Amino acid sequence: MNSTICERGTPLEELETPCLIVQLDALESNYRVVSDTYRDTVCKMRQHTKNIKSPLLAKMQMEMGGSNGGVCTAKVAEAEVMVEGGITDILIPNQVVSEDKLNRVCALARHGDIKLCVDSVENVRTISEAATRNGVEIGVLIEVDTSMGRAGVRSPEDGVKIARAAVNLPGVVFRGVMSHQNVGEAFSKEDRYLRGQETIDICIQVKDAVEAAGIPVEIVSSGETFCYDVAAQVPGVTEVEGGSYALMSTGYGYMTEFQIAGKVLGTIVSTPRLGVAIGDVGMHSIAAPGGVLPTVDGLPDVEVDSLHDDHIVLTSDGSMPLRVGDKFKLLPAHQDMLVNRWDEYVAVRDGVVEDVWDIPGRGCYH
């Protein structure tokens, strides 16, 4: 989206719409939850920036506490944005295999501690070759498949093979193990603990096997928003890759300790018939992954009927409380794709713009 025209002190009602707003009280509350959770634990947060796409927001968590001082990024391009923003402890929890991208990783390694995840000996070899050629060292962690059914080793034995290769090849430094879990649905707190524990334990089994082979494991990076508190209580886990907790979305409504901070502000442009209002927010402004529509904030009797490229249709069983020119806020079902649609956050407190922040990680697909 094009840059929103606003300045500090602008009331919410006067903002050009649609625009992506961040309600600062909610964001700061979410960051405090993480800070409080990890205050006295070995485990710390390694914030996943695929959700926020901003070094500034990542540094806010570091300053508030609970962070290990690093981040993880989905892509090499995101890692480049973070390093440019002054964050130099980076984990890319994905496989990087091509020569061009590995050369970019090596360039980053001249400026910080860069780590990649691997699930094959062949990948360790390609990283070793690139690192040796560029005169740098790259850290590697073994990715363990615990529930996602995608990348990652499927057995402790495979993990040990990769760890042995890493410690015997130049240019790579074996650092540990990593896994990503998926809650699958809105569980109760008790179910979250059971689900988180059983999946993280699969990663711990690989860690234990590697250590039994005589190879030290420094990092166990396992956990995310749905089990951020579970991971902190699992012996051996050193960091959590939480991302969604910062801005939140309706899919995490069962985690009441967090608040939705990232919202899309829109304006009603038409009320064509009884019980129907049309807003200026469309798919270009907000995401609806899997067809899950956003929710109207603070208006329980108003529902999203449909979402189109450039507008949204809202309905109400009773009288429509929204009139032409009224502002409304939408709660997203997913934050990653939402944030990737915008150039900037409009930071709002008490209904007034406090700041405007760039989103430099937007569009970092490579």
Side-chain angles (χ1 to χ4, degrees):
M1 298 291 294
N2 292 330
S3 178
T4 302
I5 300 172
C6 67
E7 56 186 24
R8 294 175 184 175
T10 302
L12 200 66
E13 294 75 17
E14 296 179 13
L15 286 176
E16 182 181 357
T17 62
C19 69
L20 174 60
I21 64 170
V22 175
Q23 296 194 303
L24 289 173
D25 289 345
L27 177 69
E28 291 163 358
S29 175
N30 294 343
Y31 280 178
R32 278 194 297 272
V33 170
V34 166
S35 177
D36 292 344
T37 299
Y38 301 129
R39 177 172 290 114
D40 299 315
T41 61
V42 172
C43 181
K44 302 297 179 186
M45 175 62 72
R46 177 183 290 277
Q47 191 173 12
H48 206 314
T49 62
K50 71 174 183 177
N51 301 86
I52 56 173
K53 305 186 188 301
S54 164
L56 185 149
L57 264 67
K59 288 179 178 178
M60 287 177 65
Q61 182 69 79
M62 295 175 190
E63 292 166 0
M64 193 165 289
S67 168
N68 68 355
V71 299
C72 51
T73 68
K75 298 288 186 176
V76 176
E78 286 182 9
E80 290 167 337
V81 166
M82 293 301 133
V83 171
E84 289 170 3
I87 299 173
T88 56
D89 182 346
I90 310 284
L91 169 64
I92 301 177
N94 288 307
Q95 289 68 42
V96 180
V97 300
S98 63
E99 182 177 349
D100 58 340
K101 289 185 176 63
L102 285 172
N103 285 336
R104 288 163 59 192
V105 170
C106 290
L108 291 177
R110 296 188 177 95
H111 304 283
D113 178 5
I114 310 300
K115 298 166 285 291
L116 303 177
C117 286
V118 298
D119 62 1
S120 69
V121 171
E122 290 76 16
N123 193 191
V124 179
R125 290 197 184 105
T126 59
I127 295 170
S128 169
E129 291 166 1
T132 302
R133 186 171 61 248
N134 284 276
V136 298
E137 286 188 334
I138 303 293
V140 295
L141 284 77
I142 300 165
E143 180 174 358
V144 182
D145 176 53
T146 60
S147 66
M148 301 296 286
R150 51 190 194 192
V153 300
R154 266 59 175 179
S155 71
E157 294 76 18
D158 287 342
V160 171
K161 290 177 184 176
I162 294 171
R164 283 177 172 153
V167 297
N168 288 313
L169 286 169
V172 294
V173 180
F174 178 71
R175 302 293 295 275
V177 297
M178 167 267 168
S179 69
H180 180 72
Q181 288 71 231
N182 186 1
V183 67
E185 57 185 270
F187 285 171
S188 67
K189 186 171 184 178
E190 291 74 19
D191 286 336
R192 284 199 303 107
Y193 268 73
L194 289 173
R195 176 68 168 167
Q197 180 79 56
E198 70 182 13
T199 50
I200 293 172
D201 278 349
I202 298 171
C203 184
I204 295 295
Q205 290 171 22
V206 177
K207 164 197 173 286
D208 291 344
V210 171
E211 289 180 328
I215 302 170
V217 175
E218 174 192 352
I219 299 171
V220 177
S221 187
S222 186
E224 49 282 298
T225 292
F226 98 84
C227 60
Y228 80 102
D229 46 355
V230 182
Q233 299 181 32
V234 177
V237 177
T238 64
E239 61 184 48
V240 167
E241 299 176 16
S244 297
Y245 77 91
L247 299 176
M248 289 306 287
S249 57
T250 57
Y252 285 93
Y254 56 93
M255 303 190 74
T256 56
E257 63 268 47
F258 294 112
Q259 303 173 37
I260 297 182
K263 306 176 183 181
V264 174
L265 183 70
T267 302
I268 298 300
V269 297
S270 175
T271 52
R273 58 189 181 276
L274 185 67
V276 176
I278 311 299
D280 63 353
V281 178
M283 284 292 290
H284 294 154
S285 307
I286 194 167
V292 181
L293 296 171
T295 303
V296 182
D297 187 21
L299 296 172
D301 295 330
V302 178
E303 296 184 351
V304 176
D305 177 80
S306 57
L307 186 64
H308 306 269
D309 285 353
D310 295 296
H311 71 276
I312 193 167
V313 179
L314 308 177
T315 59
S316 177
D317 288 338
S319 61
M320 171 60 67
L322 294 167
R323 300 290 180 263
V324 172
D326 286 351
K327 294 291 193 295
F328 64 95
K329 288 176 282 191
L330 291 173
L331 308 179
H334 193 274
Q335 290 285 3
D336 303 13
M337 288 184 281
L338 163 65
V339 173
N340 201 52
R341 283 159 161 75
W342 294 92
D343 294 322
E344 63 189 21
Y345 295 107
V346 178
V348 175
R349 193 188 305 275
D350 298 327
V352 175
V353 175
E354 186 168 297
D355 212 341
V356 179
W357 302 326
D358 289 338
I359 305 177
R362 179 191 181 191
C364 290
Y365 301 118
H366 302 101

